Amino acid sequence: MNIGIDKISFHVPNYYLDMTDLANARETDPNKFHIGLGQDQMAIIPETQDIVTLGASAAAKILTDEDKKDIDMVIVGTESSTDFSKSAAVIIHGLLDIQSFARSFEIKHACYAGTAALQQAHDYVALHPDRKVLVIAADIAKYGLNTGGEPTQGCGAVAMLITKEPHLLAFNDDSVFYSEDVYDFWRPAGHDYPLVDGHMSNQVYIDSFTRIWEQNKKINHTESTDYAALTFHLPYTKMGRKALRAIFPDLPETEQQRLETRYDEAIVYSRTVGNLYTGSLYLGLISLLDNSQLAAGDRVGLFSYGSGAVSEFFSMTVMEDYKKHLTSEDNQALLAQRKRLSIEEYEKMFGEKLPVDGETYTFSDPTDFAINKISGDIRYYNK
């Protein structure tokens, strides 16, 4: 029995900042962002939207009424939770009208949480093959205005429906994982923005990949030629490329070129969105599916990394007629119809925050699932 991703979609807010505009405002060379980081645009979120609205919007695109009856579990992987106690998953479960007798919870470990959720979903469906699991990876990456991390911000959500006999991709039983206790990126309680050791974070990411890649070859007896493509967690698109190129010394030039071509197809969307934290790997996966000509039976390798640090490498097999079940045109339309913000509009939107004084406030945002009221520090959403 195959188990895997039957449906997949993503959602980003209707606003973006062009990286040339940001570079000019910060009096730096735009090539540092476009080439040095591999980023062209950055998704920007207004105060009336959060990981709940992002996740619900992504999931609503793929779920049918029948799916909602069959879902036994809603898991949200995030490091941008709006509450230390109540999970975003239970709110999304209610907004989407998923049947009541279901588990709903969050998973946290930096950018790795989406993968942890995905693997738990696999295990549940393996035991309950007639049921389904909704996995959402949703995050808002913020580092502050005029900071070193500012050009690597972003936001969005990826939703995946995990079932038996999936239409898109099936898991292979080949996961390899690696943990190391380091402080390359962390956000203690009370801090609005993460604390980052940028040099260490880049190095730990690359070292984690090369170690897990060697372990994968040892355990699963595979080489790069066994994979139609290798996909990566993408805090910025140049980061994954650095990790990919770390294994190039062992590969012939033709193989390097083949992997680079697939990599370029997998970063099309991330170049225009920025960092999704837990969703970054899976936005890359969607981009690969939409922009590559893969064949049934092709094996795709996925490298998931979460600072702190946990990483995992696993693979999935492309299903027959997968192209018929993609939403490529909708994905491209979503990105194309966004509004480009000026620096002034971006900085104003960035600084807006929901009140936390317990009073009642109402908001006007016609977007599906947007926050329309806050009262007693409870967020109420359009449905």
Side-chain angles (χ1 to χ4, degrees), residues 150-171:
E150 185 180 27
T152 63
Q153 298 176 136
C155 56
V158 174
M160 296 171 277
L161 187 65
I162 311 306
T163 71
K164 70 175 182 180
E165 307 307 333
H167 286 109
L168 298 178
L169 296 153
F171 287 99

Side-chain angles (χ1 to χ4, degrees), residues 8-11 53-63 136 157-159 369:
I8 189 168
S9 183
F10 75 92
H11 184 76
T53 69
L54 293 172
S57 296
K61 299 175 185 180
I62 59 174
L63 298 183
I136 294 172
V158 174
F369 306 115

Side-chain angles (χ1 to χ4, degrees), residues 72-84:
D72 274 359
M73 193 180 298
V74 179
I75 316 176
V76 173
T78 187
E79 55 180 287
S80 308
S81 186
T82 60
D83 193 296
F84 281 117

Side-chain angles (χ1 to χ4, degrees), residues 317-331:
T317 297
V318 176
M319 298 289 95
E320 191 79 39
D321 296 329
Y322 77 98
K323 283 282 187 182
K324 296 180 181 179
H325 303 279
L326 297 176
T327 57
S328 308
E329 292 184 2
D330 291 341
N331 295 338

Side-chain angles (χ1 to χ4, degrees), residues 2 25 33 35 47 66 92 137 257 266 314 359 362-363 371 381:
N2 285 326
F33 298 164
I35 299 174
E47 64 176 343
E66 192 64 30
I92 293 172
Q257 293 173 348
F314 63 103
E359 298 298 319
T362 58
F363 306 92
I371 299 168
Y381 299 87

